[in-house]
Every structure is written in C-alpha cells, then in structure tokens.
C-alpha cells in the first residue's frame, strides 16, 4: 500500500508524507514505513502503527482505522 498524507492546517500546512508497506487489514496492530515527504517532511523517515477498529464486512466501504504516526524530519 502507498498512502500520502497531505497536511492542510497548522505548522506543517502544505507539507506531506508517504506511508509504504504491506497492509494486512485483519492484523492488529500492523506497521508501515514512512519513506519521505515534501515540504517540512522532505527526507523524513519513520513508521506508523495501524489498528482497524471497525470494518463493514458486507460492503467493505466503511472502515475505521487508527494511524499512530512517528516521524523524524530535518
């Protein structure tokens, strides 16, 4: 999975960071790597711990996932 987070408010407005990795949705918790970003997060590294709290098994459309993100940036 590749996931880009764009920040639109606050101190890091206009910056973004990218998560990359395998995302086995039924494994709690799981870890994805932060592999870079833009603006304040250029050359950033880190990780995110993901936890699925709810998933509509009939449609797969409604899912609640917590992202706990740790970033080292320069």
């Amino acid at each position: 999975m590749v996931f880009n987070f764009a920040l639109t408010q606050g101190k890091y407005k206009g910056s973004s960071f990218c998560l990359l990795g395998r995302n086995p949705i039924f494994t709690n918790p799981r870890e994805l790597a932060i592999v870079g970003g833009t603006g304040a997060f250029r050359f950033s590294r880190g990780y995110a711990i993901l936890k699925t709290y709810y998933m509509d098994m009939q449609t797969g459309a409604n899912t609640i996932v917590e992202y706990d993100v740790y970033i080292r940036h320069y």
Side-chain angles (χ1 to χ4, degrees):
M1 177 176 106
V2 176
F3 205 114
N4 290 299
F5 284 89
L7 297 136
T8 60
Q9 295 180 353
K11 181 178 177 179
Y12 300 109
K13 180 179 180 179
S15 297
S16 68
F17 62 91
C18 182
L19 293 176
L20 175 69
R22 186 170 171 269
N23 186 20
I25 61 173
F26 295 111
T27 302
N28 273 324
R30 56 201 181 273
E31 183 176 317
L32 276 72
I34 295 175
V35 294
T38 64
F41 299 111
R42 183 180 302 137
F43 297 116
S44 64
R45 293 290 180 261
Y47 63 96
I49 303 295
L50 283 64
K51 295 178 189 169
T52 301
Y53 285 98
Y54 171 78
M55 176 184 253
D56 184 338
M57 297 303 288
Q58 291 186 357
T59 66
N62 297 316
T63 305
I64 298 172
V65 178
E66 175 184 49
Y67 287 75
D68 202 3
V69 178
Y70 300 87
I71 301 175
R72 176 178 290 166
H73 62 99
Y74 306 93

